[in-house]
Amino acid sequence: MLYELRIYHVNPGKMQALHERFRDHVIDLFSKHGMKITHYWEAIHELNNRLYYVEHDNMESRNLNYERFRNDPEWIEVKRISEMYGPLLNNQESIFMKNAAFSRTNKTGQ
């Protein structure tokens, strides 16, 4: 299993619009394209940061799922409308992780 921690650096004044975009569209679109997201966070000290992690089978499936998501006509329209008054994000970064061999959730020991 590959875990991707995605960190969004949200432009000032755009957090509510990002919340609405996720709530009303993105969560369903991610599911449609095989992306499992189980946790969302907001940084306590960085008011304009939002974090979530996505579970992928491997890097290849991750790349394929995101390619389908980014090319989905529904996403293209949602993004266009939600960014009519400027982009919601200043920057996005990803950190890729796997279970450590001693992790209780690691059933294979690898």
Side-chain angles (χ1 to χ4, degrees):
M1 184 67 62
L2 174 71
Y3 301 95
E4 179 182 4
L5 175 64
R6 294 178 64 88
I7 304 167
Y8 285 1
H9 302 276
V10 182
N11 282 323
K14 300 293 185 173
M15 186 65 81
Q16 183 61 37
L18 184 66
H19 283 192
E20 291 169 2
R21 186 163 82 179
F22 265 79
R23 183 193 67 222
D24 298 341
H25 305 284
V26 173
I27 292 171
D28 289 339
L29 282 167
F30 278 171
S31 180
K32 173 182 173 182
H33 293 290
M35 293 183 279
K36 181 180 178 186
I37 295 112
T38 57
H39 290 86
Y40 294 90
W41 301 275
E42 292 176 6
I44 293 172
H45 299 294
E46 294 291 332
L47 297 180
N48 288 328
N49 283 359
R50 179 165 189 196
L51 303 91
Y52 64 96
Y53 81 85
V54 187
E55 295 179 7
H56 307 283
D57 290 334
N58 52 48
M59 188 62 79
E60 183 180 349
S61 67
R62 180 252 183 221
N63 292 341
L64 181 62
N65 290 341
Y66 272 110
E67 182 179 336
R68 287 190 297 228
F69 169 78
R70 288 183 188 112
N71 291 307
D72 186 308
E74 183 179 352
W75 164 244
I76 293 168
E77 183 65 5
V78 164
K79 186 174 188 311
R80 183 189 71 77
I81 290 171
S82 65
E83 295 187 349
M84 287 180 74
Y85 301 106
L88 304 186
L89 303 180
N90 178 23
N91 188 28
Q92 184 272 315
E93 56 187 298
S94 291
I95 299 170
F96 297 98
M97 303 169 290
K98 65 178 183 175
N99 283 328
F102 53 84
S103 175
R104 291 182 182 178
T105 59
N106 190 354
K107 295 177 179 142
T108 64
Q110 298 177 5

